[in-house]
Amino acid sequence: MVLAVPRRDGQADAVRLIDLSVPLRTGMPVYPGDPEVTLNPALTVARDGVNVLHLDLGSQTGTHVDAPVHIDDRLPALDELPLDRFLGPAVVIDARGLAPRTPLGLEYFEGRVASGQIVLIATGWARHWGTPDYLAHPYPTPEVAAYLVESGVRTIGVDALSVDPTPAEDIPVHRILCGAHAVIAENLTDLSEVLAAQDSGHRIEVSLLPLSIPRADGSPVRAIARIWQDEPPL
């Protein structure tokens, strides 16, 4: 989708919107042990005069964000985080073409990230969505998580099931990021179009706004990338 966004000078910049979210469907993949997803009609036009869906799903369903409280009751919940954790300028790290369960080292990130950015990690694993291979995704190391925190990054997204290995006896990357009150977005869709825009010099912004759920550990999101064809308006 391409939109025309008005500027102060009366001109218009073209903005392309890219949906980075997986659709919510009955029986869709979930993290092992998480609640299964079902969507059923609660009300119908034929019977009740309106359509209303009944949704059964976990807070970590589909494309979602983790709040720090996800791993520790003492850490902030979703509604206790500033809104700027969920949208802003983004940089995409190209980590495609790796073998299953490959750890991503600092060489992918050093010199490529800056404070205040949303860092998206493109592993290419979204192509395995809905298959057993989706669980064998690459993942950043704890050293990378520490580096991102030290660099001032507080929002990290990945086109895979988790920022830690799946399954995992421990989740050190979650612990480091959540301990720094960072937001983690998981199950993003294919990031290749966003990478191509970045390689062409276009500025990228990302929105990962969650539902407003008090004391929530996470929420599904409609993840959107905005690709500025020209300079964003002031």
Side-chain angles (χ1 to χ4, degrees), residues 106-187:
L106 286 173
E107 66 273 15
Y108 285 92
F109 299 87
E110 288 181 316
R112 295 183 174 90
V113 303
S115 179
Q117 286 180 324
I118 294 176
V119 174
L120 304 181
I121 305 172
T123 67
W125 231 250
R127 69 185 185 276
H128 297 300
W129 173 257
T131 75
D133 290 337
Y134 193 61
L135 277 64
H137 55 85
Y139 53 90
T141 63
E143 290 74 21
V144 165
Y147 174 77
L148 293 174
V149 168
E150 291 165 6
S151 299
V153 173
R154 291 297 181 272
T155 310
I156 299 91
V158 64
D159 59 347
L161 188 56
S162 176
V163 292
D164 283 294
T166 305
E169 294 182 1
D170 192 16
I171 48 173
V173 172
H174 275 83
R175 297 193 185 283
I176 292 168
L177 296 176
C178 290
H181 298 186
V183 167
I184 302 168
E186 295 164 327
N187 292 325

Side-chain angles (χ1 to χ4, degrees), residues 42-219:
L43 304 174
T44 66
V45 169
R47 186 186 64 209
D48 308 293
V50 293
N51 287 318
V52 175
L53 276 177
H54 180 99
L55 310 179
D56 281 314
L57 68 166
S59 57
Q60 310 278 321
T61 294
T63 305
H64 68 273
V65 289
D66 294 353
V69 76
H70 178 48
I71 59 99
D72 191 323
D73 288 337
R74 298 167 294 181
L75 294 174
L78 201 61
D79 59 323
E80 296 171 325
L81 295 170
L83 284 176
D84 60 11
R85 288 280 198 279
F86 304 101
L87 73 168
V91 62
V92 189
I93 302 301
D94 191 352
R96 296 172 297 178
L98 296 175
R101 304 191 187 281
T102 300
L104 305 177
L106 286 173
E107 66 273 15
Y108 285 92
F109 299 87
E110 288 181 316
R112 295 183 174 90
V113 303
S115 179
Q117 286 180 324
I118 294 176
V119 174
L120 304 181
I121 305 172
T123 67
W125 231 250
R127 69 185 185 276
H128 297 300
W129 173 257
T131 75
D133 290 337
Y134 193 61
L135 277 64
H137 55 85
Y139 53 90
T141 63
E143 290 74 21
V144 165
Y147 174 77
L148 293 174
V149 168
E150 291 165 6
S151 299
V153 173
R154 291 297 181 272
T155 310
I156 299 91
V158 64
D159 59 347
L161 188 56
S162 176
V163 292
D164 283 294
T166 305
E169 294 182 1
D170 192 16
I171 48 173
V173 172
H174 275 83
R175 297 193 185 283
I176 292 168
L177 296 176
C178 290
H181 298 186
V183 167
I184 302 168
E186 295 164 327
N187 292 325
L188 297 171
T189 58
D190 184 13
L191 292 168
S192 58
E193 192 175 352
V194 185
L195 263 172
Q198 178 176 271
D199 291 343
S200 297
H202 297 298
R203 190 174 299 189
I204 301 164
E205 295 177 352
V206 169
S207 171
L208 303 166
L209 289 168
L211 299 173
S212 180
I213 309 173
R215 291 301 302 165
D217 60 276
S219 167

Side-chain angles (χ1 to χ4, degrees), residues 23-28 36-42 53-57 61:
L24 296 179
R25 294 192 174 103
T26 296
M28 67 186 291
E36 297 295 328
V37 179
T38 58
L39 286 71
N40 291 305
L53 276 177
H54 180 99
L55 310 179
D56 281 314
L57 68 166
T61 294

